[in-house]
């Protein structure tokens, strides 16, 4: 009888160990399967949302993601700043300004409460036209209402430009929404986009000395 009890106990212990191992295996397998599904979603997002092959598509992708990723529905005013170089946050280009200006159009048309803080206190006029927007700080209001601020960076890489945008609460620094897009232009040299191509090499012509 003692031998039978011992054998039964050993079998029960072994079954308990096997059952626990099976349970742990199932847990780990579920983790792997969930991770695989997340990776599939990430790949699908990159293919259909993040990567674009036109500048218009890139801007639309950024705007759509900002709308979809907004964490706090609000009518709080939003102002835009120029997209800047990732390696120099005080440096922008016409490309950075175009992205910012285009996002103003996209998000304003989608319901964002966009404000234009570059408006002068007066409309100025000269023989060439009439002006309201200015970057002359002496002509602008000293203060603006409490707002959210849209900031963005871009990074030039081979054959593509990576852009990141964020809507930030200017008081707390909290990120209200964010987006990322890759402009896949496939150009060997993007200097045409940024208008910083080096001038063509020249050869000086001189009179031959005899």
């Amino acid at each position: 009888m003692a031998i039978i009890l011992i054998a039964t106990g050993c079998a029960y212990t072994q079954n308990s160990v096997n059952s626990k191992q099976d349970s742990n295996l199932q847990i780990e397998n579920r983790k792997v399967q969930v991770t695989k599904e997340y990776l599939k979603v990430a790949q699908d997002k990159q293919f259909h949302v993040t990567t674009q092959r036109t500048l218009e598509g890139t801007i639309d992708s950024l705007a759509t993601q900002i709308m979809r990723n907004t964490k706090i529905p609000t009518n709080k005013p939003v102002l835009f700043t120029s997209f800047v170089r990732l390696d120099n946050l005080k440096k922008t280009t016409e490309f950075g300004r175009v992205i910012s200006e285009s996002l103003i159009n996209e998000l304003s048309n989608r319901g964002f409460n966009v404000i234009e803080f570059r408006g002068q206190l007066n409309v100025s006029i000269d023989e060439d036209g009439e002006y309201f927007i200015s970057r002359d700080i002496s002509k602008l209001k000293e203060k603006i209402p409490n707002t959210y601020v849209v900031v963005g960076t871009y990074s030039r890489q081979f054959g593509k430009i990576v852009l990141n945008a964020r809507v930030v609460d200017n008081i707390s620094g909290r990120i209200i929404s964010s987006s990322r897009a890759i402009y896949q232009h496939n150009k060997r040299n993007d200097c045409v986009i940024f208008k910083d191509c080096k001038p063509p090499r020249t050869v000086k012509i001189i009179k031959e000395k005899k």
Side-chain angles (χ1 to χ4, degrees):
M1 180 64 72
I3 294 173
I4 294 174
L5 290 174
I6 292 173
T8 303
C10 290
Y12 176 79
T13 302
Q14 185 62 43
N15 289 336
S16 297
V17 171
N18 291 339
S19 177
K20 186 175 182 180
Q21 289 176 342
D22 289 344
S23 178
N24 290 337
L25 183 61
Q26 291 174 3
I27 292 173
E28 291 303 316
N29 183 59
R30 282 197 296 271
K31 290 181 181 179
V32 170
Q33 299 308 315
V34 170
T35 301
K36 286 169 63 177
E37 290 302 315
Y38 272 111
L39 290 174
K40 287 181 182 178
V41 171
Q43 291 173 356
D44 190 59
K45 178 180 178 182
Q46 180 176 359
F47 183 79
H48 293 287
V49 177
T50 305
T51 303
Q52 303 295 327
R53 286 170 175 77
T54 66
L55 187 57
E56 291 78 9
T58 302
I59 294 165
D60 188 66
S61 174
L62 287 171
T64 300
Q65 291 180 66
I66 287 176
M67 292 294 296
R68 297 285 297 172
N69 298 336
T70 301
K71 301 175 179 63
I72 304 175
T74 178
N75 290 323
K76 190 173 180 179
V78 179
L79 64 83
F80 286 74
T81 59
S82 300
F83 275 54
V84 296
R85 285 172 34 181
L86 182 60
D87 61 342
N88 187 342
L89 300 182
K90 291 294 184 181
K91 182 71 174 180
T92 189
T93 58
E94 181 178 346
F95 176 83
R97 292 188 290 271
V98 166
I99 297 296
S100 176
E101 292 290 328
S102 299
L103 277 179
I104 289 175
N105 174 71
E106 290 292 331
L107 290 177
S108 176
N109 290 337
R110 299 182 192 209
F112 262 50
N113 184 15
V114 179
I115 62 171
E116 178 55 84
F117 67 98
R118 297 169 299 179
Q120 301 178 144
L121 296 176
N122 301 289
V123 175
S124 56
I125 302 174
D126 63 19
E127 60 276 9
D128 296 320
E130 302 76 40
Y131 313 97
F132 179 65
I133 296 176
S134 174
R135 287 194 173 94
D136 185 346
I137 195 170
S138 65
K139 297 180 180 180
L140 305 179
K141 297 177 182 178
E142 292 184 359
K143 296 181 180 180
I144 55 177
N146 183 25
T147 64
Y148 290 147
V149 181
V150 176
V151 299
T153 63
Y154 61 85
S155 175
R156 299 166 70 173
Q157 300 180 11
F158 183 77
K160 62 185 179 182
I161 303 169
V162 180
L163 300 102
N164 286 278
R166 288 182 283 277
V167 183
V168 182
D169 187 321
N170 72 322
I171 299 299
S172 66
R174 181 178 181 181
I175 296 177
I176 306 304
S177 185
S178 62
S179 63
R180 176 173 65 91
I182 298 173
Y183 176 24
Q184 192 87 39
H185 53 72
N186 292 323
K187 300 180 186 297
R188 296 190 62 182
N189 192 337
D190 63 7
C191 71
V192 176
I193 298 173
F194 289 91
K195 299 182 179 181
D196 57 0
C197 296
K198 295 180 179 179
R201 181 174 176 269
T202 59
V203 178
K204 187 176 182 180
I205 301 176
I206 62 175
K207 183 178 180 180
E208 180 70 22
K209 294 181 179 180
K210 296 182 179 181

